[in-house]
Amino acid sequence: MIGAYTIGKKAVTFGYKRYGVPGAVASGGAALAGYLIVRRALKSSTDGDTADSAIDASEIQSAVEEKGLGAVTDKGTLDRAIDEEEVGSAFDMDDVQSSAEEETDEFADRTGDGDSSAGN
């Protein structure tokens, strides 16, 4: 599993190569925000000690690049991104998904981006 710094760096590089400086900022910011949203949602549903190592940040990055920030609320994305064995404690994926939706909505409200759905 890779961490927040690595996910941000890879997303910035991807965005820069594809769209220049604006793409680097947008891609890096969205991927990092997605990772942080999933991490926070997982921590709120578990003891929180193993949340960082249980998240596959590259899966979050791929989903955000493909579908936008709202992809982190998709149960399929969460199933692929969270290693349940690594978490070490029981948790309810529905609770994680609900927390991720709340975090995404809150993030969208703060940034002025009203589109937080993955289906668009």
Short mmCIF file of all heavy atoms in Angstrom, two decimals, residues 23-88:
data_model
loop_
_atom_site.label_atom_id
_atom_site.label_comp_id
_atom_site.label_asym_id
_atom_site.label_seq_id
_atom_site.Cartn_x
_atom_site.Cartn_y
_atom_site.Cartn_z
N GLY A 23 -3.75 20.77 -15.08
CA GLY A 23 -4.07 19.35 -14.91
C GLY A 23 -3.37 18.74 -13.72
O GLY A 23 -3.92 17.90 -13.03
N ALA A 24 -2.14 19.19 -13.48
CA ALA A 24 -1.39 18.69 -12.34
C ALA A 24 -2.09 19.07 -11.04
O ALA A 24 -2.23 18.25 -10.13
CB ALA A 24 0.04 19.24 -12.36
N VAL A 25 -2.51 20.30 -10.96
CA VAL A 25 -3.19 20.77 -9.75
C VAL A 25 -4.52 20.04 -9.56
O VAL A 25 -4.81 19.54 -8.47
CB VAL A 25 -3.41 22.30 -9.81
CG1 VAL A 25 -4.28 22.77 -8.66
CG2 VAL A 25 -2.07 23.03 -9.81
N ALA A 26 -5.30 19.95 -10.61
CA ALA A 26 -6.61 19.31 -10.51
C ALA A 26 -6.50 17.82 -10.21
O ALA A 26 -7.16 17.30 -9.32
CB ALA A 26 -7.40 19.53 -11.79
N SER A 27 -5.66 17.13 -10.95
CA SER A 27 -5.51 15.69 -10.78
C SER A 27 -4.92 15.34 -9.42
O SER A 27 -5.42 14.45 -8.73
CB SER A 27 -4.62 15.13 -11.90
OG SER A 27 -4.46 13.75 -11.77
N GLY A 28 -3.87 16.03 -9.04
CA GLY A 28 -3.24 15.77 -7.75
C GLY A 28 -4.16 16.08 -6.59
O GLY A 28 -4.26 15.31 -5.64
N GLY A 29 -4.85 17.20 -6.68
CA GLY A 29 -5.78 17.58 -5.61
C GLY A 29 -6.93 16.62 -5.46
O GLY A 29 -7.29 16.23 -4.34
N ALA A 30 -7.51 16.20 -6.58
CA ALA A 30 -8.65 15.30 -6.53
C ALA A 30 -8.25 13.92 -5.99
O ALA A 30 -8.95 13.34 -5.17
CB ALA A 30 -9.29 15.17 -7.90
N ALA A 31 -7.12 13.41 -6.46
CA ALA A 31 -6.68 12.09 -6.00
C ALA A 31 -6.33 12.11 -4.51
O ALA A 31 -6.70 11.20 -3.77
CB ALA A 31 -5.48 11.62 -6.82
N LEU A 32 -5.65 13.15 -4.09
CA LEU A 32 -5.30 13.26 -2.67
C LEU A 32 -6.55 13.44 -1.81
O LEU A 32 -6.68 12.81 -0.76
CB LEU A 32 -4.33 14.41 -2.45
CG LEU A 32 -3.79 14.57 -1.04
CD1 LEU A 32 -3.08 13.30 -0.58
CD2 LEU A 32 -2.83 15.75 -0.97
N ALA A 33 -7.48 14.26 -2.27
CA ALA A 33 -8.73 14.44 -1.53
C ALA A 33 -9.49 13.13 -1.43
O ALA A 33 -10.02 12.79 -0.36
CB ALA A 33 -9.59 15.51 -2.19
N GLY A 34 -9.54 12.37 -2.51
CA GLY A 34 -10.22 11.07 -2.49
C GLY A 34 -9.60 10.12 -1.48
O GLY A 34 -10.30 9.46 -0.71
N TYR A 35 -8.28 10.07 -1.46
CA TYR A 35 -7.57 9.21 -0.50
C TYR A 35 -7.89 9.64 0.93
O TYR A 35 -8.18 8.81 1.79
CB TYR A 35 -6.06 9.26 -0.76
CG TYR A 35 -5.26 8.52 0.28
CD1 TYR A 35 -5.12 7.14 0.21
CD2 TYR A 35 -4.65 9.20 1.33
CE1 TYR A 35 -4.38 6.46 1.17
CE2 TYR A 35 -3.92 8.52 2.29
CZ TYR A 35 -3.79 7.16 2.20
OH TYR A 35 -3.07 6.48 3.15
N LEU A 36 -7.83 10.94 1.19
CA LEU A 36 -8.08 11.43 2.54
C LEU A 36 -9.52 11.18 2.97
O LEU A 36 -9.78 10.88 4.14
CB LEU A 36 -7.72 12.91 2.63
CG LEU A 36 -6.24 13.23 2.45
CD1 LEU A 36 -6.02 14.74 2.43
CD2 LEU A 36 -5.39 12.56 3.52
N ILE A 37 -10.46 11.29 2.03
CA ILE A 37 -11.86 11.02 2.35
C ILE A 37 -12.05 9.55 2.74
O ILE A 37 -12.70 9.25 3.75
CB ILE A 37 -12.77 11.40 1.15
CG1 ILE A 37 -12.88 12.92 1.06
CG2 ILE A 37 -14.14 10.76 1.28
CD1 ILE A 37 -13.53 13.43 -0.21
N VAL A 38 -11.47 8.65 1.96
CA VAL A 38 -11.60 7.22 2.28
C VAL A 38 -10.91 6.90 3.60
O VAL A 38 -11.44 6.16 4.43
CB VAL A 38 -11.05 6.34 1.13
CG1 VAL A 38 -11.00 4.88 1.54
CG2 VAL A 38 -11.90 6.51 -0.11
N ARG A 39 -9.74 7.46 3.82
CA ARG A 39 -9.02 7.21 5.08
C ARG A 39 -9.83 7.70 6.28
O ARG A 39 -9.96 6.99 7.28
CB ARG A 39 -7.66 7.90 5.05
CG ARG A 39 -6.84 7.58 6.30
CD ARG A 39 -5.51 8.25 6.28
NE ARG A 39 -5.73 9.66 6.60
CZ ARG A 39 -4.76 10.54 6.73
NH1 ARG A 39 -3.52 10.20 6.52
NH2 ARG A 39 -5.03 11.78 7.05
N ARG A 40 -10.39 8.88 6.17
CA ARG A 40 -11.17 9.43 7.28
C ARG A 40 -12.43 8.59 7.53
O ARG A 40 -12.80 8.33 8.68
CB ARG A 40 -11.53 10.88 6.97
CG ARG A 40 -12.09 11.61 8.12
CD ARG A 40 -12.15 13.08 7.82
NE ARG A 40 -12.72 13.79 8.93
CZ ARG A 40 -12.97 15.07 8.94
NH1 ARG A 40 -12.67 15.81 7.90
NH2 ARG A 40 -13.49 15.64 9.99
N ALA A 41 -13.08 8.16 6.44
CA ALA A 41 -14.29 7.34 6.58
C ALA A 41 -13.96 6.00 7.22
O ALA A 41 -14.69 5.51 8.08
CB ALA A 41 -14.95 7.13 5.22
N LEU A 42 -12.84 5.40 6.82
CA LEU A 42 -12.44 4.12 7.39
C LEU A 42 -12.05 4.27 8.86
O LEU A 42 -12.41 3.44 9.69
CB LEU A 42 -11.28 3.51 6.59
CG LEU A 42 -10.84 2.11 7.00
CD1 LEU A 42 -12.00 1.12 6.88
CD2 LEU A 42 -9.67 1.66 6.15
N LYS A 43 -11.35 5.33 9.19
CA LYS A 43 -10.98 5.56 10.59
C LYS A 43 -12.20 5.74 11.48
O LYS A 43 -12.21 5.31 12.61
CB LYS A 43 -10.06 6.79 10.71
CG LYS A 43 -8.63 6.49 10.34
CD LYS A 43 -7.75 7.69 10.60
CE LYS A 43 -6.31 7.36 10.32
NZ LYS A 43 -5.41 8.45 10.68
N SER A 44 -13.24 6.40 10.95
CA SER A 44 -14.43 6.61 11.76
C SER A 44 -15.21 5.32 11.97
O SER A 44 -15.99 5.21 12.91
CB SER A 44 -15.33 7.68 11.14
OG SER A 44 -15.97 7.20 9.97
N SER A 45 -15.00 4.32 11.10
CA SER A 45 -15.73 3.05 11.22
C SER A 45 -14.92 1.95 11.90
O SER A 45 -15.43 0.87 12.14
CB SER A 45 -16.14 2.57 9.83
OG SER A 45 -17.02 3.49 9.24
N THR A 46 -13.66 2.22 12.19
CA THR A 46 -12.79 1.22 12.83
C THR A 46 -12.06 1.88 14.00
O THR A 46 -12.31 3.03 14.33
CB THR A 46 -11.75 0.66 11.84
OG1 THR A 46 -10.89 1.71 11.42
CG2 THR A 46 -12.42 0.03 10.64
N ASP A 47 -11.10 1.14 14.55
CA ASP A 47 -10.30 1.72 15.63
C ASP A 47 -9.33 2.77 15.10
O ASP A 47 -8.76 3.54 15.86
CB ASP A 47 -9.56 0.64 16.41
CG ASP A 47 -8.61 -0.17 15.54
OD1 ASP A 47 -8.32 0.23 14.40
OD2 ASP A 47 -8.14 -1.21 16.03
N GLY A 48 -9.12 2.79 13.79
CA GLY A 48 -8.34 3.86 13.17
C GLY A 48 -6.84 3.63 13.09
O GLY A 48 -6.15 4.30 12.36
N ASP A 49 -6.30 2.67 13.83
CA ASP A 49 -4.85 2.47 13.88
C ASP A 49 -4.28 1.92 12.57
O ASP A 49 -3.15 2.22 12.22
CB ASP A 49 -4.48 1.52 15.02
CG ASP A 49 -4.76 2.14 16.38
OD1 ASP A 49 -4.83 3.38 16.48
OD2 ASP A 49 -4.93 1.37 17.34
N THR A 50 -5.06 1.11 11.87
CA THR A 50 -4.54 0.46 10.68
C THR A 50 -5.14 1.00 9.38
O THR A 50 -4.92 0.43 8.32
CB THR A 50 -4.81 -1.05 10.75
OG1 THR A 50 -6.22 -1.26 10.89
CG2 THR A 50 -4.07 -1.69 11.90
N ALA A 51 -5.87 2.08 9.45
CA ALA A 51 -6.56 2.59 8.27
C ALA A 51 -5.60 2.95 7.14
O ALA A 51 -5.88 2.66 5.97
CB ALA A 51 -7.41 3.81 8.64
N ASP A 52 -4.48 3.56 7.44
CA ASP A 52 -3.55 3.97 6.39
C ASP A 52 -3.01 2.78 5.61
O ASP A 52 -2.94 2.83 4.39
CB ASP A 52 -2.38 4.77 6.98
CG ASP A 52 -2.80 6.15 7.47
OD1 ASP A 52 -3.77 6.69 6.92
OD2 ASP A 52 -2.16 6.66 8.40
N SER A 53 -2.62 1.73 6.30
CA SER A 53 -2.03 0.59 5.61
C SER A 53 -3.07 -0.27 4.92
O SER A 53 -2.73 -1.08 4.06
CB SER A 53 -1.22 -0.26 6.59
OG SER A 53 -2.05 -0.76 7.60
N ALA A 54 -4.34 -0.12 5.24
CA ALA A 54 -5.40 -0.94 4.64
C ALA A 54 -5.93 -0.36 3.35
O ALA A 54 -6.69 -1.01 2.64
CB ALA A 54 -6.54 -1.11 5.64
N ILE A 55 -5.55 0.86 3.00
CA ILE A 55 -6.09 1.53 1.82
C ILE A 55 -5.11 1.44 0.67
O ILE A 55 -3.94 1.78 0.80
CB ILE A 55 -6.40 3.01 2.12
CG1 ILE A 55 -7.45 3.12 3.22
CG2 ILE A 55 -6.89 3.72 0.86
CD1 ILE A 55 -7.64 4.53 3.72
N ASP A 56 -5.60 0.98 -0.47
CA ASP A 56 -4.81 0.92 -1.70
C ASP A 56 -4.99 2.26 -2.41
O ASP A 56 -5.97 2.48 -3.12
CB ASP A 56 -5.27 -0.23 -2.58
CG ASP A 56 -4.45 -0.39 -3.83
OD1 ASP A 56 -3.57 0.46 -4.10
OD2 ASP A 56 -4.69 -1.37 -4.57
N ALA A 57 -4.05 3.15 -2.20
CA ALA A 57 -4.16 4.50 -2.73
C ALA A 57 -4.16 4.53 -4.25
O ALA A 57 -4.81 5.39 -4.86
CB ALA A 57 -3.02 5.37 -2.20
N SER A 58 -3.49 3.59 -4.89
CA SER A 58 -3.49 3.58 -6.36
C SER A 58 -4.87 3.26 -6.90
O SER A 58 -5.26 3.76 -7.97
CB SER A 58 -2.44 2.60 -6.89
OG SER A 58 -2.72 1.29 -6.47
N GLU A 59 -5.65 2.47 -6.19
CA GLU A 59 -7.02 2.18 -6.60
C GLU A 59 -7.88 3.44 -6.49
O GLU A 59 -8.70 3.72 -7.36
CB GLU A 59 -7.61 1.06 -5.73
CG GLU A 59 -8.99 0.63 -6.15
CD GLU A 59 -9.03 0.00 -7.53
OE1 GLU A 59 -8.17 -0.82 -7.85
OE2 GLU A 59 -9.96 0.34 -8.29
N ILE A 60 -7.68 4.20 -5.42
CA ILE A 60 -8.40 5.46 -5.25
C ILE A 60 -8.02 6.43 -6.37
O ILE A 60 -8.87 7.06 -6.99
CB ILE A 60 -8.09 6.10 -3.87
CG1 ILE A 60 -8.50 5.17 -2.74
CG2 ILE A 60 -8.74 7.47 -3.75
CD1 ILE A 60 -9.97 4.94 -2.60
N GLN A 61 -6.73 6.52 -6.65
CA GLN A 61 -6.25 7.42 -7.71
C GLN A 61 -6.88 7.05 -9.04
O GLN A 61 -7.38 7.93 -9.76
CB GLN A 61 -4.73 7.35 -7.82
CG GLN A 61 -4.17 8.19 -8.94
CD GLN A 61 -2.67 8.02 -9.13
OE1 GLN A 61 -2.03 7.30 -8.38
NE2 GLN A 61 -2.12 8.66 -10.12
N SER A 62 -6.88 5.79 -9.39
CA SER A 62 -7.44 5.35 -10.67
C SER A 62 -8.93 5.68 -10.76
O SER A 62 -9.41 6.17 -11.78
CB SER A 62 -7.25 3.84 -10.84
OG SER A 62 -5.91 3.52 -10.89
N ALA A 63 -9.66 5.41 -9.68
CA ALA A 63 -11.10 5.68 -9.68
C ALA A 63 -11.39 7.17 -9.80
O ALA A 63 -12.29 7.58 -10.55
CB ALA A 63 -11.73 5.13 -8.40
N VAL A 64 -10.62 8.00 -9.10
CA VAL A 64 -10.84 9.45 -9.16
C VAL A 64 -10.48 10.00 -10.53
O VAL A 64 -11.20 10.83 -11.08
CB VAL A 64 -10.05 10.17 -8.04
CG1 VAL A 64 -10.04 11.66 -8.24
CG2 VAL A 64 -10.64 9.82 -6.68
N GLU A 65 -9.39 9.50 -11.13
CA GLU A 65 -9.02 9.95 -12.46
C GLU A 65 -10.06 9.56 -13.49
O GLU A 65 -10.34 10.31 -14.42
CB GLU A 65 -7.66 9.38 -12.86
CG GLU A 65 -6.50 10.02 -12.14
CD GLU A 65 -5.18 9.33 -12.38
OE1 GLU A 65 -5.13 8.31 -13.12
OE2 GLU A 65 -4.16 9.81 -11.84
N GLU A 66 -10.66 8.39 -13.32
CA GLU A 66 -11.63 7.89 -14.28
C GLU A 66 -13.02 8.51 -14.11
O GLU A 66 -13.66 8.90 -15.08
CB GLU A 66 -11.74 6.37 -14.15
CG GLU A 66 -12.63 5.72 -15.18
CD GLU A 66 -12.66 4.22 -15.04
OE1 GLU A 66 -11.58 3.62 -14.88
OE2 GLU A 66 -13.77 3.66 -15.06
N LYS A 67 -13.49 8.61 -12.86
CA LYS A 67 -14.88 9.00 -12.60
C LYS A 67 -15.04 10.28 -11.82
O LYS A 67 -16.15 10.72 -11.59
CB LYS A 67 -15.60 7.88 -11.86
CG LYS A 67 -15.66 6.58 -12.60
CD LYS A 67 -16.35 5.53 -11.76
CE LYS A 67 -16.33 4.18 -12.44
NZ LYS A 67 -16.87 3.13 -11.58
N GLY A 68 -13.96 10.86 -11.32
CA GLY A 68 -14.07 12.07 -10.51
C GLY A 68 -14.11 11.74 -9.03
O GLY A 68 -14.11 10.57 -8.63
N LEU A 69 -14.13 12.77 -8.22
CA LEU A 69 -14.07 12.61 -6.77
C LEU A 69 -15.22 11.79 -6.21
O LEU A 69 -15.06 11.08 -5.23
CB LEU A 69 -14.02 13.99 -6.09
CG LEU A 69 -13.77 14.00 -4.59
CD1 LEU A 69 -12.46 13.29 -4.26
CD2 LEU A 69 -13.74 15.42 -4.07
N GLY A 70 -16.36 11.84 -6.84
CA GLY A 70 -17.51 11.07 -6.38
C GLY A 70 -17.29 9.57 -6.42
O GLY A 70 -18.04 8.81 -5.80
N ALA A 71 -16.26 9.11 -7.13
CA ALA A 71 -15.98 7.67 -7.21
C ALA A 71 -15.65 7.08 -5.86
O ALA A 71 -15.82 5.88 -5.66
CB ALA A 71 -14.84 7.42 -8.19
N VAL A 72 -15.18 7.89 -4.93
CA VAL A 72 -14.82 7.36 -3.60
C VAL A 72 -16.05 6.96 -2.79
O VAL A 72 -15.90 6.31 -1.76
CB VAL A 72 -13.94 8.34 -2.79
CG1 VAL A 72 -12.65 8.61 -3.52
CG2 VAL A 72 -14.67 9.61 -2.46
N THR A 73 -17.22 7.31 -3.24
CA THR A 73 -18.45 6.91 -2.54
C THR A 73 -19.03 5.63 -3.12
O THR A 73 -19.99 5.10 -2.58
CB THR A 73 -19.51 8.02 -2.60
OG1 THR A 73 -19.91 8.22 -3.96
CG2 THR A 73 -18.99 9.31 -2.03
N ASP A 74 -18.46 5.12 -4.19
CA ASP A 74 -18.94 3.91 -4.84
C ASP A 74 -18.50 2.69 -4.03
O ASP A 74 -17.32 2.54 -3.70
CB ASP A 74 -18.38 3.84 -6.26
CG ASP A 74 -18.84 2.60 -6.99
OD1 ASP A 74 -20.07 2.40 -7.10
OD2 ASP A 74 -17.96 1.84 -7.45
N LYS A 75 -19.44 1.82 -3.74
CA LYS A 75 -19.13 0.64 -2.92
C LYS A 75 -18.10 -0.26 -3.59
O LYS A 75 -17.22 -0.82 -2.94
CB LYS A 75 -20.39 -0.14 -2.60
CG LYS A 75 -20.17 -1.23 -1.58
CD LYS A 75 -21.46 -1.80 -1.07
CE LYS A 75 -21.15 -2.79 0.04
NZ LYS A 75 -22.31 -3.15 0.79
N GLY A 76 -18.16 -0.37 -4.91
CA GLY A 76 -17.19 -1.19 -5.64
C GLY A 76 -15.78 -0.64 -5.49
O GLY A 76 -14.82 -1.40 -5.30
N THR A 77 -15.64 0.68 -5.58
CA THR A 77 -14.33 1.31 -5.40
C THR A 77 -13.82 1.06 -3.99
O THR A 77 -12.65 0.71 -3.80
CB THR A 77 -14.41 2.83 -5.66
OG1 THR A 77 -14.87 3.06 -6.99
CG2 THR A 77 -13.07 3.50 -5.46
N LEU A 78 -14.69 1.21 -3.01
CA LEU A 78 -14.29 0.99 -1.62
C LEU A 78 -13.90 -0.47 -1.38
O LEU A 78 -12.92 -0.74 -0.69
CB LEU A 78 -15.40 1.42 -0.67
CG LEU A 78 -15.71 2.91 -0.64
CD1 LEU A 78 -16.96 3.19 0.19
CD2 LEU A 78 -14.53 3.70 -0.11
N ASP A 79 -14.64 -1.40 -1.98
CA ASP A 79 -14.30 -2.82 -1.83
C ASP A 79 -12.92 -3.12 -2.40
O ASP A 79 -12.16 -3.89 -1.82
CB ASP A 79 -15.34 -3.71 -2.53
CG ASP A 79 -16.63 -3.85 -1.74
OD1 ASP A 79 -16.60 -3.69 -0.51
OD2 ASP A 79 -17.67 -4.16 -2.37
N ARG A 80 -12.61 -2.52 -3.55
CA ARG A 80 -11.30 -2.75 -4.17
C ARG A 80 -10.18 -2.02 -3.44
O ARG A 80 -9.04 -2.49 -3.42
CB ARG A 80 -11.32 -2.31 -5.64
CG ARG A 80 -12.16 -3.21 -6.54
CD ARG A 80 -12.03 -2.84 -8.00
NE ARG A 80 -12.34 -1.45 -8.29
CZ ARG A 80 -13.56 -0.97 -8.55
NH1 ARG A 80 -14.59 -1.78 -8.54
NH2 ARG A 80 -13.74 0.30 -8.83
N ALA A 81 -10.47 -0.89 -2.84
CA ALA A 81 -9.43 -0.06 -2.24
C ALA A 81 -9.10 -0.42 -0.80
O ALA A 81 -8.02 -0.11 -0.33
CB ALA A 81 -9.83 1.41 -2.32
N ILE A 82 -10.02 -1.05 -0.10
CA ILE A 82 -9.80 -1.36 1.31
C ILE A 82 -9.52 -2.85 1.48
O ILE A 82 -10.34 -3.69 1.12
CB ILE A 82 -11.02 -0.95 2.17
CG1 ILE A 82 -11.24 0.56 2.07
CG2 ILE A 82 -10.83 -1.38 3.62
CD1 ILE A 82 -12.52 1.05 2.71
N ASP A 83 -8.37 -3.16 2.04
CA ASP A 83 -7.99 -4.53 2.34
C ASP A 83 -8.54 -4.88 3.72
O ASP A 83 -7.99 -4.46 4.74
CB ASP A 83 -6.47 -4.66 2.31
CG ASP A 83 -5.99 -6.08 2.55
OD1 ASP A 83 -6.84 -6.98 2.77
OD2 ASP A 83 -4.76 -6.29 2.54
N GLU A 84 -9.63 -5.63 3.73
CA GLU A 84 -10.32 -5.94 4.99
C GLU A 84 -9.43 -6.72 5.95
O GLU A 84 -9.54 -6.55 7.16
CB GLU A 84 -11.61 -6.71 4.71
CG GLU A 84 -12.64 -5.86 3.97
CD GLU A 84 -13.95 -6.60 3.75
OE1 GLU A 84 -14.32 -7.43 4.59
OE2 GLU A 84 -14.59 -6.31 2.74
N GLU A 85 -8.54 -7.56 5.43
CA GLU A 85 -7.65 -8.32 6.30
C GLU A 85 -6.65 -7.41 7.00
O GLU A 85 -6.24 -7.66 8.12
CB GLU A 85 -6.91 -9.38 5.49
CG GLU A 85 -7.83 -10.47 4.97
CD GLU A 85 -7.11 -11.47 4.10
OE1 GLU A 85 -5.88 -11.39 3.97
OE2 GLU A 85 -7.80 -12.35 3.54
N GLU A 86 -6.26 -6.33 6.32
CA GLU A 86 -5.27 -5.40 6.87
C GLU A 86 -5.87 -4.52 7.97
O GLU A 86 -5.16 -4.05 8.86
CB GLU A 86 -4.71 -4.53 5.75
CG GLU A 86 -3.57 -3.65 6.13
CD GLU A 86 -2.27 -4.42 6.31
OE1 GLU A 86 -2.07 -5.45 5.68
OE2 GLU A 86 -1.44 -3.95 7.11
N VAL A 87 -7.18 -4.31 7.92
CA VAL A 87 -7.84 -3.44 8.91
C VAL A 87 -7.69 -4.02 10.31
O VAL A 87 -7.42 -3.29 11.25
CB VAL A 87 -9.33 -3.22 8.56
CG1 VAL A 87 -10.04 -2.46 9.66
CG2 VAL A 87 -9.46 -2.49 7.24
N GLY A 88 -7.86 -5.31 10.45
CA GLY A 88 -7.64 -5.95 11.74
C GLY A 88 -8.81 -5.92 12.69
O GLY A 88 -8.78 -6.53 13.72
#
